[in-house]
Amino acid sequence: MNARKSPGRPRNPAVGGRIAAAAVEVFARQGWAGFSIDAVARAAGVGKASIYLRWADKESLLTEAMAGVFAPIAEIDTGSLRGDLEQLALLLLDVYSDGVRGTAARRIVVESEVIETVRGYWQRVRADQIRATRAIVRRGVERGEIDGGAPIALMLDTLCGAAMLHPVAAPADRPTDNRRHARALVDFVLGRSAPRRAQE
């Protein structure tokens, strides 16, 4: 899944970022059936050689590009459980409410289950995401912010699932304040009253 590395002139990281963004866009628009190195190269405005210098095949390109969408999860560490959970919820709400990234994120969950060549790649990415999110709650336990017997998996399933589904279920004519909604989700998960918090 890692980008290729070879000797020679250092690569421009901006080009790699542009290719990854184009890969997410092509996948969001066309799904796996329309995803190809040619299509990504056209969307990124680069030659195919620029892609093959960095990725061995379209499976690793897509998976690494999609992993980058969720990469900030591993960087969350505000020093408090509430702060970390609010950042996690906000990140997911922002991703899934974004037209391109949200569509691509939902596609990869579904299509990775039926595309043999992508499944293994994405399972490893998901394992990394799960470890990063569980580390958030474990730090809270270590700081004494939450009981060690708390149902960590259920808490995270509730928070992440709600953040993923909200942009789909919310009425289109009522834009959501993602930051405020993230706080409300965390209030709910931690067993507090979202309406009371909203009035603070």
Side-chain angles (χ1 to χ4, degrees):
M1 186 177 71
N2 294 331
R4 282 184 166 181
K5 296 180 180 179
S6 60
R9 186 174 63 184
R11 297 176 197 141
N12 183 347
V15 174
R18 194 163 78 243
I19 293 169
V24 173
E25 181 179 355
V26 170
F27 184 64
R29 189 173 63 247
Q30 301 182 28
W32 183 248
F35 189 84
S36 67
I37 297 295
D38 280 330
V40 174
R42 286 194 299 273
V46 301
K48 288 193 294 183
S50 293
I51 296 178
Y52 282 119
L53 280 172
R54 295 166 171 82
W55 291 277
D57 48 44
K58 67 177 186 176
E59 287 85 357
S60 57
L61 167 58
L62 173 62
T63 311
E64 191 165 311
M66 291 306 304
V69 171
F70 296 99
I73 291 175
E75 300 170 9
I76 295 174
D77 190 356
T78 66
S80 76
L81 176 62
R82 172 173 287 279
D84 287 355
L85 290 177
E86 286 184 2
Q87 279 204 3
L88 173 62
L90 179 60
L91 186 155
L92 294 175
L93 285 165
D94 284 347
V95 166
Y96 284 105
S97 62
D98 178 90
V100 171
R101 293 184 303 160
T103 299
R106 284 184 285 271
R107 275 189 184 277
I108 194 69
V109 170
V110 174
E111 298 208 36
S112 65
E113 290 297 315
V114 295
I115 303 166
E116 188 70 31
T117 54
V118 173
R119 185 184 307 148
Y121 283 103
W122 189 246
Q123 285 176 343
R124 290 191 289 273
V125 172
R126 288 289 299 130
D128 288 342
Q129 292 173 356
I130 291 168
R131 279 192 292 270
T133 55
R134 289 187 176 179
I136 288 173
V137 182
R138 281 198 297 271
R139 290 196 301 268
V141 171
E142 291 167 2
R143 289 189 295 256
E145 297 173 276
I146 190 170
D147 185 82
I152 294 177
L154 181 58
M155 288 175 60
L156 292 172
D157 283 351
T158 301
L159 183 70
C160 297
M164 179 177 71
L165 292 174
H166 179 75
V168 176
D173 60 344
R174 289 189 219 163
T176 298
D177 180 334
N178 283 350
R179 190 170 297 278
R180 183 172 180 175
H181 194 64
R183 290 196 298 266
L185 287 176
V186 174
D187 278 328
F188 180 80
V189 168
L190 294 182
R192 298 187 178 181
S193 168
R196 177 170 56 81
R197 176 59 187 263
Q199 294 169 4
E200 292 178 358

